[in-house]
Amino acid sequence: IAIGERWLATVGARFIDYTNTSPTSRYEASRTTPAASIAYRFAKDANVYASYIEGFEEGGQAPLTAVNALQTLPALRTRQVEVGAKALWQGLLLQASLFDIRRPSAGTNTTTNVYEVAGDARYRGLELSANGELTRQWSVYASAILLDAEIVRAANNPALLGKQPENTARQT
């Protein structure tokens, strides 16, 4: 939606129909998630923006050491807020953004040995990227992410509070 010559807004909803079938479990769910953004075009080929989006993603699979080994957990809702800037410069699209992602986290309960969703994780970071054609024969795509991830709620294992979620890189 154009609001005057410099402002742009996007509002939407995404319907997700999710099915996971594995030898140990089956899970079906559907959900409609919102998305919204606003951008201000401060130059012909440059803007700043802010966005909010919710997603729906797989909850993970229990490890072999858990009582519920290989069970697939239900799909989980995630939330992302992002602010950034985009500019087109000499054929390259340059982007920089700060983001904050909140998602449920799973772990093995230290008392019952059941792998379950019983916490939340926060992922904050900076993403930089450049892509486009340098010449007619050469194009480039480069990106970098600096990430600060932390478990912010851990009902089944308080020792995880403040720790980095497993399999999460600090930079890519």
Side-chain angles (χ1 to χ4, degrees), residues 21-36:
T21 303
S22 70
T24 57
S25 56
R26 177 174 171 76
Y27 182 80
E28 292 183 36
S30 60
R31 178 165 288 162
T32 301
T33 60

Side-chain angles (χ1 to χ4, degrees), residues 70-86:
L70 302 178
Q71 178 185 3
T72 302
L73 297 180
L76 307 167
R77 185 174 76 173
T78 62
R79 295 181 178 103
Q80 178 175 332
V81 175
E82 182 174 329
V83 294
K86 297 179 182 185

